[in-house]
């Protein structure tokens, strides 16, 4: 008898008898043994999958790295923008800023051998409030930032508010601003990040 049919039968009997009849101890013991065997095979499968994932990490190429970093960059950016800023600037961000972020990530990928790319990770949390941090790409092996992507609020006199997207690299100790582009907000003060 298939396992799903047996379980369905137990549920049906339980519902019809409202718990007046309980399954036999032999039936419960049989299902417990099957469950233990199933869990053991799940553990073995997960160990095999971990080995396969490790092998895939060694086959990690620059295109995979760029694609993965871009997905994480976009997710971190929209998390930072929050529900108030995100919908207003998302079209311009996707058209202007995101392609420039991709170019910057490509420049980073060129600087590292393919086997080292697996050590580069995107930080998990963007800065909220008035913080400039969108995300950083760090070398987890050396525990150092490689590139930092930021957005700053600019308020030139009588021009309203702008979001200035830029990045810093480890080459000059994160001093120089490398422009990614700017997006106009409006004359009113923008809300804080992640709101």
């Amino acid at each position: 008898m298939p396992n799903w049919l047996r379980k369905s039968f137990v549920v049906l009997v339980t519902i019809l008898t409202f718990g007046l009849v309980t399954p036999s101890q032999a039936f419960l013991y049989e299902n417990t043994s099957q469950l233990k065997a199933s869990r053991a095979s799940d553990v073995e499968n997960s160990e095999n999958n971990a080995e396969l994932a490790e092998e895939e990490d060694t086959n990690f190429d620059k295109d995979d790295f760029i694609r993965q970093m871009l997905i994480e960059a976009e997710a971190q950016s929209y998390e930072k923008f929050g529900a108030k800023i995100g919908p207003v600037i998302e079209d311009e961000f996707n058209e202007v800023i995101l392609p420039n972020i991709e170019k910057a990530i490509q420049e980073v990928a060129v600087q590292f051998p393919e086997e080292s790319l697996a050590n580069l990770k995107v930080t998990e949390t963007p800065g909220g409030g008035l913080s400039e941090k969108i995300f950083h790409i760090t070398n987890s092996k050396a525990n150092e930032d490689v590139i930092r992507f930021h957005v700053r609020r600019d308020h030139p006199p009588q021009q309203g508010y702008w979001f200035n997207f830029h990045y810093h690299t480890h080459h000059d100790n994160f001093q120089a601003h490398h422009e990614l582009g700017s997006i106009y907000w409006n004359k009113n003060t923008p809300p804080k990040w992640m709101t």
Side-chain angles (χ1 to χ4, degrees):
M1 177 182 282
N3 202 18
W4 66 269
L5 187 60
R6 184 177 298 154
K7 289 179 182 180
S8 299
F9 180 70
V10 170
V11 169
L12 182 64
V13 168
T14 303
I15 291 171
L16 291 176
T17 61
F18 296 107
L20 296 175
V21 178
T22 59
S24 70
Q25 291 296 325
F27 179 76
L28 290 174
Y29 177 76
E30 181 182 312
N31 281 343
T32 304
S33 299
Q34 287 176 353
L35 183 62
K36 286 180 183 177
S38 172
R39 286 187 181 154
S41 69
D42 287 347
V43 167
E44 186 177 314
N45 286 341
S46 68
E47 288 172 355
N48 291 340
N49 288 342
E51 289 173 9
L52 287 174
E54 218 173 275
E55 286 178 21
E56 287 177 7
D57 281 347
T58 60
N59 297 332
F60 196 64
D61 68 0
K62 288 188 185 341
D63 291 336
D64 292 336
F65 169 77
I66 293 166
R67 210 173 4 264
Q68 183 62 36
M69 291 295 114
L70 199 57
I71 289 168
E72 292 182 38
E74 187 174 10
Q76 292 293 331
S77 298
Y78 281 108
E79 184 179 340
K80 179 171 184 71
F81 300 157
K84 294 181 180 177
I85 296 174
V88 177
I89 67 170
E90 78 177 312
D91 291 338
E92 206 168 345
F93 176 79
N94 289 334
E95 291 171 16
V96 178
I97 308 301
L98 206 53
N100 290 334
I101 289 176
E102 182 176 12
K103 288 177 189 170
I105 291 172
Q106 287 171 342
E107 290 174 15
V108 167
V110 170
Q111 298 169 17
F112 288 87
E114 284 189 1
E115 59 272 5
S116 298
L117 291 177
N119 297 327
L120 301 181
K121 308 288 183 211
V122 171
T123 54
E124 294 183 11
T125 309
L130 299 175
S131 169
E132 289 188 10
K133 177 186 174 188
I134 303 173
F135 67 95
H136 297 170
I137 295 178
T138 62
N139 183 338
S140 59
K141 198 168 193 176
N143 200 24
E144 297 175 344
D145 288 346
V146 175
I147 188 168
R148 297 174 179 170
F149 290 90
H150 292 168
V151 59
R152 179 182 64 226
R153 299 167 182 230
D154 287 341
H155 188 197
Q158 302 193 2
Q159 291 184 25
Y161 286 89
W162 292 79
F163 296 128
N164 173 266
F165 292 85
H166 58 278
Y167 66 94
H168 309 275
T169 67
H170 69 292
H171 296 299
D172 63 357
N173 204 25
F174 306 104
Q175 295 303 308
H177 282 236
H178 302 276
E179 293 295 320
L180 294 168
S182 293
I183 298 177
Y184 179 71
W185 172 252
N186 65 36
K187 300 271 185 197
N188 299 325
T189 304
K192 292 183 177 180
W193 299 115
M194 299 177 74
T195 58

